[in-house]
Amino acid sequence: MVNVILGGAGFIGSNLVRFLMACGEKVIVIDNLSNGSKDFLPKNFPGELFFEYDLSNPLSSELLEKLKLLHNSEELTIWHLAANSDIQKGTEDFAVDFHATLGTTLSALNLATRIKTHSLIFASSSAVYGDHGDRPLDENVTDLRPISNYGVMKLASELVIQNYSVVNPHIKIRIYRFPNVIGLPLTHGVLRDFHSKLKSKPQNLHVLGNGEQQKPFMHVDDLITNMITLNSTSALNEVFNLSSKDDGVRISEIAEIMIDNFSPTTKPVYQTTPQGWIGDIPKYSFDTNKSISHGAASILSSRKAVEKVVAQLKSLT
Amino acid sequence: MVNVILGGAGFIGSNLVRFLMACGEKVIVIDNLSNGSKDFLPKNFPGELFFEYDLSNPLSSELLEKLKLLHNSEELTIWHLAANSDIQKGTEDFAVDFHATLGTTLSALNLATRIKTHSLIFASSSAVYGDHGDRPLDENVTDLRPISNYGVMKLASELVIQNYSVVNPHIKIRIYRFPNVIGLPLTHGVLRDFHSKLKSKPQNLHVLGNGEQQKPFMHVDDLITNMITLNSTSALNEVFNLSSKDDGVRISEIAEIMIDNFSPTTKPVYQTTPQGWIGDIPKYSFDTNKSISHGAASILSSRKAVEKVVAQLKSLT
């Protein structure tokens, strides 16, 4: 099996590359390096298996030819992790997620059509659900009402993949709805925001929103091991929520942890709005019973995941 | 008020242009002429108010400048009717609806942002609901599960427009979910299929599906008068189903009507599949109570709408 990782030089993608290589698997990376970097890839990653390419454009026949030569008639596992990761930017400019989050899905499906594919694994998001407050969200929730364009394009990607699966039922489909995933490298998100703001040891840490936002956080190591486990279950087409099994961590709690560790004299300053930005879901709760019942391993709590990243950051300095 | 009609040279668009001009309104048309034709526009339509432009591309500054000159600081009503109309083609090639059905929505929103806009009217579709069998579908149904890529891109368009409305609450939004709309010119759909097949007076009329598909049909004249009525209600943001108030007409019934009128010796031949094609919804039923309670006028039944088109076709020959 050959693994082709779309967005493989990004935060989650590069961690997946490291994991798969450690398992001795063959890995090809396609990435436009807009959020990712070649420096995120393992030092021993073979240069000829990396392709700098913007997958929001149609696949070029040149790229397809090169991939055909590399895969040696082995079947592909396509990991579609290519997407915009800046949800706020997508609210200001709808074109961002249209191209980077949905356009890349068309390329993933075209690749699956053009080169014999065993599995297509799609990184979807909690954002497809929209704002349901405290209600625990399981995979059978039908009222999907994303309030960010990022969430809209993730939902449209899921639906297009499901329609594709009707016509191509032999390809194994996994749709994983990610929670807030954290780890190194810090490319975006609240930990990066706080970490970069605290570098200058400021008097105040300005937090987006009132700090009461509460979300599940999952360490990228747990995310990857659980995807690997759930890929191997027999069903041909499954949707799974991936998350820590708790109600999440409050943003104010994360602010305190980060301040304690990186700038103890700084004071957090909150806004009055429950949302950190337009399109932000202040609180959500994932029901992860399905993934657990299919063998997902025990994982760090949201708070422990944050603490693990903090420890990783401290070991770097 | 200036009306800008995206897709104004298509089947529904050109009928809308005719109606608005008859009411003395100023109308600008933007169309790429992929499904539409300048010949569909009224003879007295001013050439300088027509722009051939593919709205699945970003708006050019040249087009924007020309529109700014024309609108004379009057506010715009944007009618977004630009879309792929060949649902089957979009199943084979996901790129079709990605560009023509969703990409055009980005252009509509960009236009609303760049030129002061009073109203944005979006032609959505019954296809956003997916396959719910006999269940009458009202606007509060939350489990929207489109099974065609056309439906996916109409749903994504609705959601992107709703997200836009959160940031731009002063723009009046109308989302109309169209049923099967029929009338002249016959550019696509079952009536055109049967009409063109019957021209040669064949022995058999080959029908897609088993003929039991049953759908509401609405005459384009009724569709337009009801949109005009519902635009003028006071609410800033509304979603309306538009349809005849009945359970629809069976495809076999339409085949019989068309045969009787255009080739009485032809025999219909059916397939065994309930769906006419992948992504086809064999049966759906629209609950139109909301639009009626907001003033939608009485309209032709589905069968009468078909008969009206047949009469129009016969008057042409």
Side-chain angles (χ1 to χ4, degrees):
Chain A
M1 193 79 71
V2 179
N3 295 275
V4 179
I5 307 187
L6 315 182
F11 157 48
I12 297 173
S14 61
N15 279 281
L16 177 64
V17 170
R18 186 169 289 105
F19 184 94
L20 292 171
M21 285 177 71
C23 297
E25 296 219 29
K26 184 164 179 184
V27 178
I28 295 170
V29 167
I30 310 176
D31 200 297
N32 67 350
L33 301 180
S34 67
N35 300 308
S37 162
K38 278 174 146 178
D39 295 339
F40 297 165
L41 292 171
K43 293 277 171 288
N44 60 337
F45 188 82
E48 71 275 16
L49 299 181
F50 174 81
F51 297 92
E52 184 173 346
Y53 193 84
D54 185 347
L55 292 159
S56 64
N57 298 318
L59 291 177
S60 70
S61 46
E62 189 194 343
L63 178 62
L64 273 169
E65 285 312 310
K66 285 182 184 165
L67 292 172
K68 277 182 187 169
L69 287 176
L70 282 172
H71 84 109
N72 270 331
S73 80
E74 291 174 270
E75 286 187 313
L76 300 186
T77 293
I78 299 173
W79 301 77
H80 172 24
L81 307 177
N84 168 46
S85 55
D86 186 342
I87 298 184
Q88 295 165 259
K89 200 166 93 189
T91 300
E92 289 148 27
D93 180 2
F94 354 96
V96 171
D97 285 295
F98 173 72
H99 292 292
T101 305
L102 182 57
T104 53
T105 301
L106 301 199
S107 290
L109 294 177
N110 266 319
L111 184 58
T113 299
R114 302 291 290 276
I115 303 186
K116 195 172 179 192
T117 295
H118 179 274
S119 310
L120 173 65
I121 295 149
F122 174 54
S124 188
S125 166
S126 62
V128 300
Y129 289 103
D131 192 352
H132 295 261
D134 283 331
R135 172 182 175 198
L137 300 166
D138 67 42
E139 295 84 348
N140 295 320
V141 165
T142 52
D143 46 337
L144 304 173
R145 299 287 297 173
I147 62 168
S148 61
N149 291 326
Y150 172 80
V152 173
M153 299 308 163
K154 284 290 185 191
L155 175 59
S157 293
E158 283 196 12
L159 293 167
V160 168
I161 290 170
Q162 295 293 11
N163 290 342
Y164 180 82
S165 178
V166 171
V167 194
N168 299 277
H170 56 285
I171 298 180
K172 193 168 185 172
I173 303 286
R174 288 290 178 274
I175 292 176
Y176 294 115
R177 293 178 179 157
F178 291 2
N180 287 57
V181 183
I182 52 177
L184 300 194
L186 277 187
T187 57
H188 61 278
V190 62
L191 290 181
R192 178 173 194 261
D193 178 39
F194 290 173
H195 191 245
S196 72
K197 283 175 175 167
L198 291 171
K199 262 187 192 144
S200 61
K201 316 283 179 203
Q203 199 174 351
N204 296 315
L205 171 66
H206 293 278
V207 179
L208 299 175
N210 65 7
E212 296 299 309
Q213 307 105 296
Q214 184 171 339
K215 313 177 187 203
F217 286 81
M218 188 176 199
H219 196 279
V220 66
D221 295 345
D222 290 333
L223 180 92
I224 288 169
T225 52
N226 278 301
M227 284 198 290
I228 302 284
T229 303
L230 295 168
N231 284 351
S232 67
T233 59
S234 59
L236 261 175
N237 185 328
E238 290 279 8
V239 179
F240 288 109
N241 288 342
L242 292 181
S243 180
S244 55
K245 194 174 157 49
D246 55 47
D247 288 338
V249 194
R250 282 200 315 286
I251 296 298
S252 59
E253 207 176 332
I254 298 178
E256 283 160 23
I257 296 171
M258 294 294 283
I259 285 172
D260 282 352
N261 281 279
F262 297 104
S263 179
T265 59
T266 297
K267 302 279 172 241
V269 176
Y270 296 101
Q271 298 174 322
T272 54
T273 50
Q275 283 187 313
W277 58 87
I278 292 167
D280 183 27
I281 312 276
K283 181 164 187 164
Y284 70 92
S285 171
F286 255 5
D287 180 331
T288 55
N289 287 324
K290 181 177 174 189
S291 59
I292 290 169
S293 74
H294 282 71
S298 71
I299 51 181
L300 293 180
S301 69
S302 293
R303 188 181 166 104
K304 291 277 181 207
V306 172
E307 288 170 350
K308 178 172 173 178
V309 178
V310 168
Q312 291 178 301
L313 283 171
K314 290 180 89 169
S315 75
L316 290 180
T317 50
Chain B
M1 193 79 72
V2 180
N3 296 274
V4 178
I5 307 187
L6 315 182
F11 157 49
I12 297 174
S14 61
N15 279 282
L16 178 63
V17 170
R18 185 170 290 104
F19 184 94
L20 291 171
M21 285 177 71
C23 297
E25 296 218 30
K26 184 164 179 182
V27 178
I28 296 170
V29 167
I30 309 176
D31 200 298
N32 67 350
L33 301 179
S34 66
N35 300 308
S37 163
K38 277 174 146 177
D39 294 339
F40 297 165
L41 293 171
K43 294 275 173 288
N44 59 338
F45 188 82
E48 71 274 16
L49 300 182
F50 174 81
F51 297 91
E52 183 173 346
Y53 192 85
D54 185 348
L55 292 159
S56 64
N57 297 318
L59 290 177
S60 70
S61 45
E62 189 193 343
L63 178 63
L64 273 169
E65 284 313 309
K66 285 183 184 164
L67 292 173
K68 278 181 186 169
L69 286 175
L70 283 171
H71 84 108
N72 272 331
S73 81
E74 291 173 271
E75 286 187 313
L76 300 187
T77 293
I78 299 173
W79 300 78
H80 172 23
L81 307 177
N84 167 47
S85 55
D86 186 342
I87 298 184
Q88 295 165 260
K89 201 167 91 186
T91 300
E92 289 148 28
D93 181 2
F94 355 95
V96 171
D97 284 296
F98 173 72
H99 292 293
T101 304
L102 182 56
T104 53
T105 301
L106 302 197
S107 290
L109 293 177
N110 265 320
L111 184 58
T113 300
R114 302 290 291 276
I115 303 187
K116 195 172 178 189
T117 294
H118 180 273
S119 310
L120 173 65
I121 295 149
F122 175 54
S124 188
S125 167
S126 62
V128 301
Y129 288 103
D131 192 352
H132 296 261
D134 282 330
R135 174 183 175 197
L137 300 166
D138 67 41
E139 295 84 348
N140 294 320
V141 165
T142 53
D143 46 337
L144 304 173
R145 299 288 296 174
I147 62 169
S148 61
N149 291 327
Y150 173 80
V152 173
M153 299 307 163
K154 284 291 186 190
L155 174 59
S157 293
E158 284 197 12
L159 292 167
V160 168
I161 290 169
Q162 296 293 9
N163 290 343
Y164 181 82
S165 177
V166 171
V167 195
N168 300 277
H170 57 283
I171 297 180
K172 194 168 185 172
I173 303 286
R174 288 291 179 272
I175 292 176
Y176 294 114
R177 292 178 179 156
F178 291 1
N180 287 55
V181 183
I182 53 177
L184 300 194
L186 276 188
T187 57
H188 61 278
V190 62
L191 291 181
R192 177 171 194 262
D193 178 39
F194 290 172
H195 191 246
S196 72
K197 284 174 174 168
L198 291 172
K199 262 187 191 144
S200 61
K201 316 281 179 206
Q203 198 173 351
N204 296 316
L205 171 65
H206 293 277
V207 179
L208 299 176
N210 65 6
E212 295 299 308
Q213 307 106 295
Q214 184 171 339
K215 315 177 185 203
F217 286 80
M218 188 177 197
H219 196 279
V220 65
D221 296 345
D222 289 334
L223 180 91
I224 288 169
T225 51
N226 279 301
M227 284 198 290
I228 303 282
T229 304
L230 295 168
N231 283 351
S232 66
T233 58
S234 59
L236 262 175
N237 185 327
E238 290 279 10
V239 179
F240 287 109
N241 288 342
L242 292 181
S243 181
S244 55
K245 195 175 158 45
D246 55 47
D247 289 339
V249 194
R250 282 200 314 286
I251 295 299
S252 59
E253 206 176 332
I254 298 178
E256 284 160 22
I257 296 172
M258 292 295 283
I259 285 172
D260 281 352
N261 282 279
F262 297 105
S263 179
T265 60
T266 297
K267 302 280 170 241
V269 176
Y270 298 102
Q271 298 174 321
T272 54
T273 51
Q275 284 187 311
W277 59 86
I278 292 168
D280 183 26
I281 310 276
K283 181 163 187 163
Y284 69 92
S285 171
F286 255 6
D287 180 330
T288 55
N289 287 323
K290 181 178 173 187
S291 60
I292 291 170
S293 74
H294 282 72
S298 70
I299 52 183
L300 294 180
S301 70
S302 293
R303 189 182 167 103
K304 290 276 179 210
V306 171
E307 288 170 350
K308 178 171 171 178
V309 179
V310 168
Q312 290 177 302
L313 283 169
K314 291 181 88 168
S315 75
L316 289 181
T317 48

